[in-house]
């Protein structure tokens, strides 16, 4: 007579999460030009690493710099929106 062997649960094996260095991940950003007298680039720095991101063309930058560029563009859009909502007294 055959005996059944009890089924035991196997411990769940967690695969180690390897974090990727954010400075090695490149993202494409674009900062529009805003008139003829506008600066040709914008300076961004994170933890001692600095980049001059040119305006008017798409460039690849590390993820931390791309994050700053997105924050900068969002802030610029909010400033423009506010300026357009304020009545002109002059």
């Amino acid at each position: 007579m055959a005996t059944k062997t009890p089924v035991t649960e196997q411990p769940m094996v967690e695969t180690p999460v390897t974090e990727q260095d954010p400075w090695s991940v490149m993202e494409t950003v674009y900062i529009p030009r805003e008139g003829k007298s506008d600066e040709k680039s914008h300076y961004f720095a994170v933890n001692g690493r600095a980049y001059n991101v040119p305006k008017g063309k798409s460039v690849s930058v590390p993820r931390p710099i791309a994050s700053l560029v997105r924050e900068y563009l969002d802030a610029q859009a909010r400033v423009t929106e506010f300026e357009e909502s304020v009545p002109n007294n002059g």
Side-chain angles (χ1 to χ4, degrees), residues 7-48:
V7 177
T8 58
E9 288 188 32
Q10 302 235 345
M12 188 173 196
V13 179
E14 293 185 28
T15 55
V17 176
T18 56
E19 292 186 29
Q20 189 173 18
D21 178 23
W23 290 96
S24 67
V25 179
M26 302 299 279
E27 295 183 9
T28 302
V29 295
Y30 177 83
I31 302 175
R33 303 261 341 217
E34 299 173 359
K36 293 181 180 181
S37 63
D38 191 27
E39 296 291 323
K40 295 183 187 217
S41 65
H42 192 85
Y43 178 84
F44 295 95
V46 177
N47 294 336

Side-chain angles (χ1 to χ4, degrees), residues 22-88:
W23 290 96
S24 67
V25 179
M26 302 299 279
E27 295 183 9
T28 302
V29 295
Y30 177 83
I31 302 175
R33 303 261 341 217
E34 299 173 359
K36 293 181 180 181
S37 63
D38 191 27
E39 296 291 323
K40 295 183 187 217
S41 65
H42 192 85
Y43 178 84
F44 295 95
V46 177
N47 294 336
R49 296 185 187 187
Y51 285 79
N52 272 318
V53 178
K55 293 182 178 183
K57 66 180 187 176
S58 295
V59 294
S60 292
V61 295
R63 180 174 282 163
I65 300 297
S67 177
L68 279 182
V69 170
R70 285 190 297 274
E71 289 176 21
Y72 164 76
L73 292 172
D74 182 51
Q76 289 295 95
R78 285 185 276 137
V79 166
T80 301
E81 182 180 319
F82 175 75
E83 288 175 342
E84 290 173 353
S85 71
V86 175
N88 189 357

